[in-house]
Amino acid sequence: MSREHVIGIYQNVLDGKVKRFPNNFFVGEEGKIYMKYMTCYLLEERLSIQVNEIPVKVKASILWSHRLRSPALIYGWNYYDVIDNAYPGCFKPWEFHQFLISIGTDKKGEIEQLRQLSM
């Protein structure tokens, strides 16, 4: 299925024209590609977030409120996995504010060490 067709389906779901995605829409590798199309569309076009601003501006609540939670759960993904699927290798988990909050203050030193090693 073309990117335009996938985006059209996603727009219909977001706009409430249809209640859900088609059956078997998120099956296998093809479904992961559809998730990539929808995530990029949502962040870059619908919400006008620049790619370099994603770690600062995107939280799980944004993705989940735009109907990406259910497909993410099919793959067992958290919000970072959804972003990494759409932008592979572009970001590290510790670049996301929400990630740092969720690990707690006792782990932040370890994350800083990992960040230094990856540079």
Side-chain angles (χ1 to χ4, degrees):
M1 189 178 312
S2 72
R3 180 185 187 280
E4 292 76 24
H5 192 236
V6 171
I7 297 305
I9 291 170
Y10 185 45
Q11 286 174 328
N12 287 338
V13 170
L14 288 176
D15 295 340
K17 294 178 182 174
V18 295
K19 292 187 182 214
R20 60 186 186 88
F21 293 100
N23 291 338
N24 302 315
F25 193 68
F26 299 105
V27 173
E29 293 302 312
E30 193 171 31
K32 291 178 183 179
I33 293 169
Y34 297 166
M35 279 289 290
K36 176 180 180 164
Y37 294 159
M38 294 185 317
T39 305
C40 291
Y41 164 76
L42 172 66
L43 298 179
E44 294 175 36
E45 296 178 41
R46 191 148 176 138
L47 300 178
S48 300
I49 297 173
Q50 299 294 320
V51 173
N52 63 332
E53 296 176 328
I54 289 173
V56 176
K57 292 188 174 182
V58 177
K59 296 179 180 156
S61 59
I62 290 174
L63 299 178
W64 300 165
S65 67
H66 289 88
R67 305 287 300 267
L68 294 180
R69 184 176 191 151
S70 295
L73 291 175
I74 290 171
Y75 296 108
W77 290 347
N78 61 33
Y79 86 102
Y80 173 76
D81 296 325
V82 173
I83 292 169
D84 191 51
N85 177 65
Y87 305 95
C90 288
F91 308 108
K92 303 291 184 215
W94 55 79
E95 294 179 87
F96 291 82
H97 180 71
Q98 187 168 1
F99 175 79
L100 293 175
I101 290 171
S102 69
I103 62 166
T105 56
D106 57 329
K107 298 284 185 183
K108 285 184 182 176
E110 293 176 33
I111 296 301
E112 184 58 34
Q113 289 175 340
L114 289 171
R115 184 184 314 186
Q116 294 300 320
L117 288 173
S118 69
M119 293 181 163

